[in-house]
Amino acid sequence: MARILVVDDVGSMRQIVRTVLESGRHRVLDACSAEEALDLAKVTRVHLVLTDINMPGMGGLELIPQLRALRTYRNTPIMILAKGSADENLEQAMKRGASGWVEKPFTPEGLLGAVNQVLVDFYVNH
Amino acid sequence: MNPVALALRDHRARVPLVGAALLAPWLWSIFLLPLWAIAVSLLLTLAAAVFILVRILPPARDERAADDGGCDAAERLRKARRRDAEQRDLMHQTIFTLHTHVHRWVNTSEHSQGDLRRVQTEVGQVLKHVESAIVQIGESFSAIMNKTAAQTECAMKLLRSEDGDQAAKNGAWLSLPDYIHAYESQLSSVTERMIEFAAVTGAFEEHQRKMREHTVTVDDLLDELRAMAKQTGKLALESSMLAGSAANHRHLVTLTDTIRSISEKAHETTRSIRLNLDAIREQLVESHKTMRTASEIGARAATQAKVDVAQLNLAMMDKTAEVKDAVEHINLIGNDVQVEINRIIVAMQFQDITQQKLERLHQPVLSRVIEDLRVIADESTRLKGEAGYWLNSSVKADAPFQLVRGGVSVPLELREAAVIAADEPHPVPSPVVPKDGGSVELF
C-alpha cells in the first residue's frame, strides 16, 4: 500500500483517480492546484505524485521541478496525466523529471497497472 | 467699389426694412425730445445701419459678383473653386476613411468568423462528447441494472427447486434449503437408529451382568463342592479307621450320617450348579439374540445411512456443480458489471477534456473576438462622429455632392477614386490601445 498525491484542478477527475487508486489499496491525498500540492508535499511524504498538466495558475510542468527541488522528492516518482503520446507537453514533462505518464481517458486497470509498475520499479527493483 | 455702396446695392431689398426697424423705436419720441437730440439719434441710427450692412450681413454672392464682371468676381470664383477642391478632398478623405474602416470591419468579421467557426466546431465536439458520455453512462447503468438483476436471479435460483415439491419427490433438483432439510432428516434417522442400537447394547450389558452374577454363584458353589470333597475325604479316612477298629459303632453311625448329609448337600449344590449353568446358557442365548438383533439393526442402519448418504452425496455433487456454474455465471456477470463501471469511469473523464476545450475557447478565442469587436466598435463610434462633421461641413459648403435621404450621393469621380483606393494596399493602421492597457495590433 503506497501513499499517493493526486493533483488535478477538476474535482471529478480527482474523485475518479482516488476511487481507482483506493480500490488498489493505496492511500490517496489530493490537491486541487499545484500550489496546494507543493504545500502538502512539504509537510507530508508520499511515495508517488500523480499530476495533471493543464491547471490554472502553476501547471504540472512547473510543479515537477519545484518538487524535485525539495530534498525529500528528489527521487520520488512523479507521473503525469497526459492526453496521449502525442501530447506536446509530454516531452517537456519527461525532460523536467517526470517518471511516467498515464493516458487520458484511462481505464481503472490501466491506471492501477501503470502506478503499480512505477512503484515496483522504484521501490522494489531499485 | 465702395463697400458701403456695394453693401447698399447688394442689400437694397433689405435696406428699407432695416431702416424702418431702426427708426421705429424713435417715432414716439419726435414730440418729446429736443431737435438736436433727434438729429443725433438719427445720425447714430444711420451709422448703425451702415455697420449692419457692411459688417453683420453676409457678403454678396459670387454669382452676382460674377455678373458684375469685375476683378472681385474672378477672385471670388477662384476662392469658390478652391473651396470646392477642399470639400472634394474632404469628401475623398471621408470616403477613403470609411472604406478603410469597412475594410477593417471585413477583416475583423472574417477573423471573427474563423474564431466563431472554431468555437462552433469545439462546442459541437463538446456537445458530442457530452452526449456520448451521457449515453454511455446511461447505457452502462442500464446494463449494470440488468446484470445485477440477472445475478440476483441466478443466486435466488439456488435457493428454490425448479419444479417444486413434486420434483423433490421424484429426485429432481432440490433447492439448497431442501438439501439442508434432507440432510437434517437423514441425520435424525441415523441418530434414532444409533439410540436404538444403544438400547440393544444396554440389554446386552444387562445379560452380561447377569451372566457374571451366575458365574460368581457357580464359583461359590464350586468352592463349596471343593470344601465338601475335602471334608468327605477326611470322613472317608476317618470311617476307614473306624471300620478298622470296629469298636465304636456309635461313631460310625454318626459318620455315616455326616457323609449322607454331605452327599445330599453335594447333590443340592450340583443341582444349583446345573441351574446356574442353565441360567448362564439362557443368558448366552439371550445375549446372542440381542447381539444378533443389534448387529442387524446396526447393519441395517449403516446400510440405509450409506445408501441415503450416497444418494445425498450424488445429489449434492450435482448441486455443487450447479452452484459452481451459478457462481461462475455470477462471476462473469460481475466482470461485465466491472467493464460497464470502467466505461462509466472513462466516460466521466470526458468532463476533463470538455473543460479543457471550453477553457481554450473561453480564454484565447472568445476573448480575442470580444476585444476585436470592442476596438472596432470604438473606432466606428469615433469615425461616425468625424464623418458626421465632415458631411455637415461639405453640405454647408455647397459641395458638388448633396445630402439625400438616408445617406450621401457621391459624385462619379469620387466613386472612381474610392474604387482605385480599394484596390490599393491599405495603409498599416496605428496600434489601438485597449482599455486594459497594452498595445494590440488589429490586422
Side-chain angles (χ1 to χ4, degrees):
Chain A
M1 189 179 77
R3 210 164 35 241
I4 299 174
L5 174 59
V6 176
V7 191
D8 201 315
D9 58 312
V10 181
S12 61
M13 281 298 294
R14 286 200 308 276
Q15 185 62 38
I16 290 170
V17 174
R18 169 185 280 277
T19 305
V20 171
L21 292 179
E22 283 180 346
S23 72
R25 300 179 181 276
H26 295 298
R27 190 175 160 204
V28 177
L29 307 173
D30 57 13
C32 62
S33 66
E35 291 84 357
E36 185 186 343
L38 208 53
D39 293 340
L40 202 57
K42 286 174 184 171
V43 296
T44 310
R45 176 78 193 273
V46 298
H47 300 103
L48 185 140
V49 178
L50 184 62
T51 178
D52 191 18
I53 292 293
N54 298 313
M55 290 185 287
M58 187 195 296
L61 289 178
E62 290 80 21
L63 175 65
I64 295 170
Q66 298 262 8
L67 283 174
R68 291 288 180 227
L70 300 175
R71 191 174 58 83
T72 51
Y73 283 85
R74 201 165 293 158
N75 295 317
T76 302
I78 301 174
M79 297 181 74
I80 62 169
L81 292 165
K83 284 181 287 184
S85 55
D87 194 338
E88 63 272 11
N89 295 315
L90 193 58
E91 190 178 354
Q92 284 288 324
M94 300 308 274
K95 280 180 184 172
R96 293 181 183 209
S99 313
W101 56 280
V102 178
E103 182 176 352
K104 288 193 294 185
F106 52 78
T107 60
E109 292 86 1
L111 176 63
L112 263 182
V115 166
N116 287 337
Q117 183 66 45
V118 170
L119 286 171
V120 167
D121 284 347
F122 270 76
Y123 295 105
V124 178
N125 295 339
H126 276 192
Chain B
M1 184 180 284
N2 185 0
V4 177
L6 187 63
L8 285 173
R9 193 185 66 183
D10 285 345
H11 302 293
R12 57 180 176 270
R14 298 171 187 157
V15 167
L17 292 173
V18 171
L22 291 173
L23 288 174
W26 300 102
L27 291 177
W28 65 276
S29 60
I30 290 174
F31 304 105
L32 298 177
L33 295 177
L35 190 60
W36 64 270
I38 293 171
V40 170
S41 297
L42 289 175
L43 285 176
L44 287 175
T45 303
L46 184 62
V50 170
F51 181 77
I52 288 170
L53 288 172
V54 175
R55 295 291 181 185
I56 294 177
L57 289 177
R61 287 187 299 183
D62 293 339
E63 291 85 354
R64 291 189 183 155
D67 290 343
D68 293 341
C71 62
D72 287 339
E75 181 65 23
R76 286 168 187 258
L77 186 59
R78 256 198 324 274
K79 284 181 181 176
R81 284 178 177 167
R82 193 166 58 244
R83 223 165 21 241
D84 281 347
E86 286 173 359
Q87 295 302 326
R88 194 171 296 175
D89 290 342
L90 187 61
M91 181 51 107
H92 184 267
Q93 184 185 355
T94 303
I95 292 173
F96 183 78
T97 310
L98 282 172
H99 176 266
T100 305
H101 190 68
V102 168
H103 187 77
R104 288 183 180 186
W105 256 117
V106 169
N107 283 347
T108 302
S109 61
E110 286 175 354
H111 193 179
S112 299
Q113 273 180 2
D115 286 343
L116 290 176
R117 274 195 205 99
R118 194 175 151 202
V119 169
Q120 189 183 27
T121 306
E122 296 281 342
V123 169
Q125 287 180 358
V126 165
L127 290 175
K128 201 181 292 179
H129 280 151
V130 169
E131 187 181 356
S132 166
I134 288 172
V135 168
Q136 180 64 56
I137 289 172
E139 287 177 352
S140 295
F141 267 120
S142 175
I144 285 172
M145 293 299 290
N146 292 335
K147 289 178 194 304
T148 307
Q151 274 185 324
T152 308
E153 177 63 27
C154 194
M156 290 300 292
K157 204 172 166 183
L158 294 175
L159 299 177
R160 62 170 182 260
S161 56
E162 285 182 349
D163 300 324
D165 295 338
Q166 189 60 38
K169 285 176 186 171
N170 296 335
W173 288 107
L174 295 176
S175 66
L176 279 179
D178 290 340
Y179 275 100
I180 292 168
H181 288 314
Y183 260 106
E184 189 180 357
S185 168
Q186 182 64 27
L187 188 62
S188 174
S189 171
V190 170
T191 306
E192 284 173 4
R193 283 168 189 159
M194 290 303 290
I195 290 169
E196 190 180 353
F197 185 76
V200 173
T201 308
F204 178 70
E205 281 180 2
E206 181 64 23
H207 289 308
Q208 280 193 333
R209 188 185 61 77
K210 286 180 180 175
M211 281 173 65
R212 271 198 305 275
E213 288 174 358
H214 288 303
T215 307
V216 169
T217 307
V218 169
D219 280 345
D220 292 343
L221 291 172
L222 286 175
D223 288 342
E224 194 175 348
L225 278 175
R226 194 177 301 116
M228 283 190 298
K230 195 182 286 180
Q231 194 176 359
T232 305
K234 283 180 184 176
L235 288 173
L237 183 61
E238 193 176 345
S239 67
S240 63
M241 287 173 64
L242 286 174
S245 64
N248 195 350
H249 180 70
R250 191 177 52 90
H251 284 146
L252 184 59
V253 172
T254 304
L255 185 60
T256 302
D257 291 341
T258 304
I259 290 171
R260 188 184 304 116
S261 171
I262 291 171
S263 173
E264 287 174 356
K265 200 173 180 182
H267 180 69
E268 186 68 23
T269 303
T270 304
R271 196 174 58 190
S272 297
I273 288 172
R274 187 178 295 116
L275 288 174
N276 277 296
L277 286 176
D278 289 342
I280 288 171
R281 195 178 298 112
E282 286 176 5
Q283 291 298 322
L284 278 174
V285 170
E286 288 297 320
S287 295
H288 178 69
K289 285 181 182 174
T290 307
M291 277 301 294
R292 194 166 55 192
T293 305
S295 296
E296 285 174 0
I297 291 170
R300 201 164 53 243
T303 305
Q304 187 62 40
K306 185 181 174 184
V307 170
D308 292 346
V309 168
Q311 284 180 351
L312 278 175
N313 279 340
L314 283 174
M316 276 303 287
M317 283 175 69
D318 292 340
K319 194 67 183 175
T320 304
E322 186 195 5
V323 170
K324 184 187 169 200
D325 291 343
V327 170
E328 283 178 351
H329 190 209
I330 289 172
N331 194 33
L332 286 175
I333 295 174
N335 290 339
D336 290 345
V337 169
Q338 185 61 46
V339 168
E340 296 297 336
I341 290 172
N342 289 351
R343 282 182 185 164
I344 290 175
I345 289 174
V346 171
M348 286 173 71
Q349 292 173 54
F350 279 112
Q351 191 214 340
D352 185 44
I353 299 169
T354 301
Q355 185 167 339
Q356 286 182 5
K357 281 183 178 297
L358 291 178
E359 280 173 357
R360 279 204 306 272
L361 289 180
H362 176 260
Q363 192 50 38
V365 177
L366 290 181
S367 297
R368 192 169 59 227
V369 170
I370 290 169
E371 183 61 21
D372 288 354
L373 292 176
R374 187 191 67 75
V375 170
I376 206 76
D378 289 348
E379 268 196 23
S380 301
T381 306
R382 197 184 71 231
L383 194 62
K384 179 185 170 190
E386 291 178 359
Y389 170 76
W390 289 332
L391 288 174
N392 285 334
S393 301
S394 302
V395 171
K396 279 184 181 175
D398 199 9
F401 46 82
Q402 53 187 339
L403 195 62
V404 298
R405 186 187 296 273
V408 175
S409 172
V410 181
L412 180 62
E413 60 271 24
L414 291 183
R415 274 184 266 169
E416 289 172 350
V419 171
I420 293 168
D423 295 332
E424 291 171 358
H426 275 268
V428 178
S430 58
V432 179
V433 179
K435 283 178 180 171
D436 55 349
S439 175
V440 176
E441 285 289 343
L442 256 188
F443 307 110

